[in-house]
Amino acid sequence: MIVKEYCMYCGECAGVCPHCLIEVRETSIDFNEEGCKDCGICIQVCPVKALAKED
Amino acid sequence: MKLIETDVLVIGAGPAGSSTAKHAALNGAEVILIDKKSEIGSPKRCAEGVSKEGLKKLGIEPNSRWVTKELSGVRLISPNGTDVWMKEDQVKLPEAGYILERKVFDKFMAMDAARAGAAIMIKTLARGMRKDYDGYIVSCESMGEDFEIKAKIVVGADGPESRVGRWGGLKTAVKPKNMESGIQFEMVGLEMEDPDVIEFYFGSVAPGGYAWIFPKGDDIANVGLGIVSTVTNKSAYEHLVEFVKNCPATQNAQPVELNVGGDPVGGMTKTLVKDNLMIVGDAAGHVNPLTGGGIITALEAGMYAGEVAAAAVKEDNYTEKRLKEYQEKCKKEIGDSFDKYLKTKDYLLSLSDSDLDSIAAAFQDTEFENISTKELIKLLIKVSPKALLKLGKLF
């Protein structure tokens, strides 16, 4: 997952992740890429569109 | 690895977590309250409105250090700009209240918890937890140090991210259609028609939600909106920029802060407890599904959670069956009313911009102190009989 520089670490992506794979810290965010099923929900809900799939 | 033991570990020091910690400590439990942030209450993820009645019910005295504005009414604005005014001196508004300074308020609530006896650990992240025979062991990290906290009861007050509940097997993941994407500028230079009144803007300006202007005194206000990402292709930020560009009150306003955050508006989570585990606040869906407001319900639910947790500690009984007293209280005091709000929200979201304009026009000169439920329904039938069917079960 690509996290753009302007991510505000609000945690909305973590709240909707069906597999609980996102850990949001104060100023960083960790994705457990191994368990990701590419559902894209985290990308969809981001209020500032700071997430993108890797090519 | 260092292991700290306690009766109750509360994860997250928002209003729900601090209230839980305070009431558990006041009732005799040993409590630790942790928060991953370096400053409790910051950044704010909220429009900062609370009702006077809500604070009163909880016995919280308004304090000039965290109340920025006392409100006197509400202005509802339809897509074409038709407005409906409801002033406190004309009609009893249960949601009338104050605009807070959350960065100060949240700290005050945490300080209350500390004064009640809770230990607070900031910049402390919970990274996971495992079940022990008599509680949970939570893996934590703080300022580069890894350690564990063993608690008889863990309370997840970790906001819409809600990982603690899921670690314990509760179903707290929010569906995208139930997660409102909130975004807000705090702005200066507002030109409001009445700076003592909160404004709500409905319709396609904020698909799935609404836009708001909450005055904070002088020419300052929170200007924001909530959208549901499943019903629009634009981001919440794009909708906000458009709203600010078009709204008459913000033509000469400038942003001084940007806030974002999810708001779980799908109603209260069905199961709030398991053995040795409770969830509270946004993590438990303690958010009014209609307004998206959740400060008062978070404080209230936290009070119930803290009281039940402390009683469970006294009885040395941390079973799901014992902790269910908290869940039942939340359902009765909070969850049942949410069912009505959900139906009202469905009704409002089913209306087109022109329906909303017609309703606003019908109510524009209404004297609300004299209107009966029957008259209200008559007016709504006149505007949109089909949509009103969705409201049927409410009356």
Side-chain angles (χ1 to χ4, degrees):
Chain A
M1 190 66 65
I2 297 168
V3 182
K4 294 177 185 166
E5 179 273 330
Y6 53 84
C7 169
M8 297 183 72
Y9 313 108
C10 69
E12 186 167 343
C13 52
V16 295
C17 176
H19 308 290
C20 201
L21 301 173
I22 307 172
E23 182 182 81
V24 182
R25 294 164 173 247
E26 191 168 21
T27 54
S28 67
I29 183 165
D30 287 336
F31 283 81
N32 175 352
E33 303 275 1
E34 275 181 24
C36 180
K37 306 280 189 281
D38 277 337
C39 68
I41 293 173
C42 55
I43 296 170
Q44 182 193 338
V45 301
C46 177
V48 294
K49 294 284 179 261
L51 302 178
K53 277 185 188 172
E54 290 188 56
D55 290 331
Chain B
M1 193 183 295
K2 186 168 87 177
L3 179 74
I4 302 166
E5 294 193 42
T6 188
D7 291 334
V8 179
L9 170 64
V10 183
I11 301 174
S18 290
S19 176
T20 304
K22 173 185 167 181
H23 289 281
L26 281 177
N27 286 282
E30 188 182 14
V31 181
I32 296 175
L33 171 63
I34 68 171
D35 196 283
K36 69 181 179 182
K37 296 192 294 292
S38 49
E39 182 182 10
I40 290 171
S42 179
K44 71 183 182 204
R45 308 203 189 285
C46 172
E48 305 184 292
V50 292
S51 70
K52 287 178 195 171
E53 281 193 5
L55 287 180
K56 197 173 167 189
K57 184 181 172 186
L58 297 166
I60 299 171
E61 282 293 317
N63 185 309
S64 60
R65 289 169 74 178
W66 46 257
V67 170
T68 63
K69 184 77 191 164
E70 187 172 356
L71 302 164
S72 67
V74 178
R75 180 179 174 231
L76 309 172
I77 300 108
S78 77
N80 71 1
T82 306
D83 56 4
V84 178
W85 292 79
M86 291 190 281
K87 299 292 291 271
E88 202 178 19
D89 54 357
Q90 296 162 335
V91 59
K92 190 172 180 288
L93 296 168
E95 294 301 318
Y98 304 108
I99 303 299
L100 307 178
E101 193 61 71
R102 278 291 299 270
K103 290 170 197 171
V104 183
F105 178 78
D106 282 24
K107 276 199 206 99
F108 258 65
M109 295 300 110
M111 287 170 187
D112 272 355
R115 290 187 188 108
I120 299 179
M121 300 170 77
I122 56 169
K123 198 70 178 164
T124 300
L125 177 73
R127 302 212 60 201
M129 65 186 196
R130 64 182 191 275
K131 188 83 175 70
D132 199 26
Y133 72 99
D134 60 348
Y136 275 100
I137 296 176
V138 178
S139 307
C140 298
E141 183 192 298
S142 182
M143 304 300 287
E145 185 194 3
D146 293 325
F147 60 96
E148 293 180 327
I149 301 176
K150 182 177 176 181
K152 293 164 184 163
I153 297 174
V154 170
V155 182
D158 51 337
E161 292 167 50
S162 67
R163 283 164 56 90
V164 175
R166 286 192 270 179
W167 291 336
L170 292 172
K171 291 178 181 170
T172 61
V174 183
K175 290 179 179 158
K177 72 179 172 75
N178 292 328
M179 182 70 97
E180 212 159 74
S181 295
I183 190 153
Q184 169 179 275
F185 287 130
E186 185 170 325
M187 304 188 87
V188 66
L190 269 286
E191 292 159 335
M192 298 179 71
E193 291 208 16
D194 182 343
D196 295 332
V197 163
I198 50 174
E199 297 186 346
F200 295 100
Y201 295 76
F202 298 97
S204 52
V205 64
Y210 61 87
W212 63 79
I213 300 181
F214 282 14
K216 293 188 75 172
D218 299 327
D219 57 349
I220 304 162
N222 289 327
V223 179
L225 53 81
I227 58 143
V228 173
S229 63
T230 53
V231 296
T232 175
N233 293 322
K234 289 183 198 164
S235 70
Y237 180 73
E238 288 167 316
H239 279 287
L240 179 61
V241 169
E242 204 170 293
F243 174 66
V244 168
K245 190 179 159 196
N246 296 323
C247 179
T250 52
Q251 292 309 297
N252 294 306
Q254 297 295 326
V256 293
E257 186 173 319
L258 175 64
N259 315 121
V260 296
D263 207 7
V265 290
M268 197 174 91
T269 307
K270 202 173 168 189
T271 307
L272 305 181
V273 298
K274 290 200 81 143
D275 289 350
N276 310 90
L277 178 66
M278 306 164 95
I279 53 172
V280 65
D282 282 5
H286 288 142
V287 174
N288 183 320
L290 179 63
T291 65
I295 300 172
I296 295 297
T297 43
L299 290 165
E300 185 179 353
M303 181 173 74
Y304 303 145
E307 286 169 355
V308 171
V313 169
K314 273 183 194 156
E315 295 162 25
D316 200 23
N317 181 354
Y318 317 103
T319 60
E320 181 176 335
K321 195 177 169 191
R322 175 66 189 90
L323 301 181
K324 263 196 175 160
E325 181 190 335
Y326 158 66
Q327 181 175 304
E328 281 154 15
K329 199 145 193 184
C330 282
K331 187 177 180 315
K332 186 174 166 232
E333 301 293 332
I334 300 168
D336 287 348
S337 67
F338 281 7
D339 293 342
K340 279 191 177 183
Y341 291 132
L342 272 171
K343 287 191 187 104
T344 310
K345 184 176 81 168
D346 284 348
Y347 166 70
L348 280 172
L349 294 182
S350 72
L351 299 172
S352 66
D353 279 6
S354 62
D355 287 339
L356 289 163
D357 290 334
S358 303
I359 290 174
F363 282 102
Q364 194 170 27
D365 299 314
T366 300
E367 289 181 16
F368 283 93
E369 70 269 36
N370 295 326
I371 195 168
S372 67
T373 305
K374 203 174 162 185
E375 284 166 313
L376 181 77
I377 293 170
K378 267 187 193 171
L379 269 171
L380 291 172
I381 289 173
K382 208 169 129 189
V383 174
S384 179
K386 203 175 162 189
L388 189 69
L389 287 174
K390 295 186 179 179
L391 266 183
K393 287 181 185 172
L394 275 176
F395 298 101

